[in-house]
Amino acid sequence: MHLAHRDVEYSVNTLLDKMSEALITGRRIEIRGFGSISLRYRGPRVGRNPKTGAAVTVPEKYVPHFKPGRSLRERVNQTAFSETASGTDAGSETDTVPRDERIDSDAN
């Protein structure tokens, strides 16, 4: 089955727009077997400018938070474990995930 590029693009954009609208109105998004996306509140704080070290006031905000579903976690762990056990993975997680794509668990 072949779908036209413009139809696929329209479908994906519509889906992302609906998801954004749901988050904007404070609703939680759940995709069964994949995970859920909700908003987390972060209060105001004093941060640091990394270049100068000067104190900077960071305002309060809401940030999207993704929680993977059990099925997704199990599939990822099963795949990662089987690759490590079979020797196809040359090293640790940091060897297979580019630095800019890693998630800092402390930031969530």
Side-chain angles (χ1 to χ4, degrees):
M1 178 170 155
H2 177 68
L3 300 172
H5 182 270
R6 71 179 188 286
D7 293 337
V8 173
E9 183 178 15
Y10 176 78
S11 298
V12 170
N13 286 338
T14 300
L15 179 65
L16 293 175
D17 288 343
K18 293 296 181 185
M19 291 173 70
S20 296
E21 288 173 18
L23 290 173
I24 288 168
T25 58
R27 293 182 310 208
R28 180 176 171 262
I29 300 167
E30 181 177 340
I31 304 170
R32 300 222 185 253
F34 184 73
S36 62
I37 304 169
S38 59
L39 292 179
R40 293 273 171 103
Y41 174 77
R42 292 200 180 160
R45 63 184 176 86
V46 176
R48 295 274 173 203
N49 179 326
K51 231 177 194 177
T52 65
V56 177
T57 302
V58 179
E60 66 182 356
K61 61 184 171 182
Y62 287 90
V63 294
H65 173 75
F66 175 73
K67 181 178 178 185
R70 182 177 60 177
S71 178
L72 176 62
R73 281 193 316 268
E74 289 172 355
R75 288 182 69 186
V76 168
N77 286 329
Q78 180 183 15
T79 303
F81 178 74
S82 65
E83 287 177 358
T84 304
S86 67
T88 58
D89 184 5
S92 68
E93 172 201 36
T94 56
D95 291 336
T96 60
V97 179
R99 175 130 184 96
D100 58 343
E101 292 180 19
R102 280 187 236 146
I103 298 173
D104 182 8
S105 60
D106 295 336
N108 293 331

